[in-house]
Amino acid sequence: MEWSGEASVMQARRHGENAVILTAFARDIGLISGILPGGASAKRAAMIQRGTVVALRWRARIEGQLGTFSAEPARARSGLLADALALDGVNAVTALVVFALPEHDPHPRLHEATEQLLDLMDQGVPAGESGWSHAYLAWELRLLDELGFGLDLTACAVTGRRDGLAFVSPRTGRAVSREGAGEWADRLLPLPSLLGGTGNGGMRDAFTLTGHFLRARMAEEHAGKSLPPARDRLIARLLQRESD
């Protein structure tokens, strides 16, 4: 079996003395892992940093085998290492992709969104109203949608109306209006104006919303394990930057 193409590095784990197990994300095959001989050398370290685009050739003798990579540099994203916020960003994105996706399962829309987000981080576009923090929020929503846990924020789950949306059901992920919530309002998650709600909440409420479904639906119900801590580190830094 054989595959070749360009992919962004998601993870590289030491394997033996000189090799690494490389995991990359490609448009046409999704996540793919293999042994990269010599990948642990200082010469190759820069080429396999998280977020770097590499040209790969993967070979395996039989289906289900880990396989072996040959790799050449394709496009560096050096800006990801030049800024602490960007570094936290790429660590969160790559950790969530590896956590959430099975191997050899293509997700071209998520791949496109991931590449665009990594490019924004690499370019040093600051976090904030016009920065990549909003793109990252949209990426988390895309990740939930790709896994079948997408939020429906278009109409009230109770009344069917599209106006006055103020909450989200923590169980179903559907929007609820203030009228439809009634006495259950205190059990619902606030829907901030940033995501089309009538509330005043901003990024903090938005990330609380996506974080709830990443944990409750994707991590606990789907994967049966805790969400990667890299996500919480990024959100804490983004919210600190927003408040500065």
Side-chain angles (χ1 to χ4, degrees):
M1 302 182 63
E2 186 170 318
W3 172 86
S4 61
E6 289 192 354
S8 287
V9 174
M10 297 288 108
Q11 180 177 268
R13 294 173 291 145
R14 191 74 174 253
H15 182 72
E17 291 187 9
N18 299 309
V20 298
I21 296 177
L22 182 71
T23 301
F25 189 26
R27 179 181 177 84
D28 60 339
I29 198 172
L31 276 186
I32 183 169
S33 295
I35 298 171
L36 178 63
S41 68
K43 182 178 180 180
R44 291 215 163 192
M47 185 182 72
I48 56 172
Q49 294 290 333
R50 293 184 181 213
T52 301
V53 182
V54 288
L56 298 172
R57 182 175 295 276
W58 176 86
R59 295 184 179 89
R61 288 185 299 172
I62 57 174
E63 187 174 357
Q65 188 179 39
L66 180 59
T68 302
F69 280 127
S70 59
E72 296 294 336
R75 182 161 63 93
R77 287 187 171 115
S78 55
L80 296 177
L81 303 178
D83 176 73
L85 185 60
L87 182 59
D88 279 345
V90 69
N91 285 341
V93 168
T94 55
L96 285 169
V97 168
V98 172
F99 177 87
L101 300 184
E103 293 210 2
H104 299 191
D105 182 18
H107 287 267
R109 293 190 305 170
L110 180 62
H111 178 269
E112 180 180 2
T114 303
E115 291 297 299
Q116 291 174 351
L117 177 57
L118 292 176
D119 283 341
L120 283 176
M121 293 175 174
D122 177 51
Q123 292 161 16
V125 178
E129 186 173 347
S130 60
W132 58 256
S133 57
H134 288 243
Y136 176 77
L137 174 63
W139 182 85
E140 286 198 339
L141 290 167
R142 167 65 66 192
L143 178 62
L144 286 167
D145 190 56
E146 287 284 319
L147 295 174
F149 307 132
L151 308 186
D152 182 356
L153 307 179
T154 59
C156 176
V158 179
T159 66
R161 296 186 60 172
R162 294 179 177 271
D163 58 339
L165 304 178
F167 306 101
V168 177
S169 166
R171 184 177 62 85
T172 67
R174 297 186 64 186
V176 181
S177 66
R178 196 170 299 279
E179 175 190 1
E183 62 183 18
W184 298 91
D186 61 349
R187 303 187 186 185
L188 303 176
L189 297 168
L191 178 60
S193 56
L194 185 63
L195 295 177
T198 59
N200 295 322
M203 293 299 290
R204 184 176 299 277
D205 282 346
F207 282 130
T208 297
L209 184 63
T210 55
H212 168 80
F213 290 98
L214 287 171
R215 288 186 177 84
R217 302 288 293 279
M218 187 185 81
E220 296 173 9
E221 292 181 15
H222 180 64
K225 50 188 177 182
S226 299
L227 204 63
R231 192 264 177 185
D232 286 344
R233 287 196 295 269
L234 171 62
I235 300 308
R237 189 181 287 271
L238 284 175
L239 294 178
Q240 179 61 46
R241 183 70 64 93
E242 290 277 337
S243 65
D244 288 347

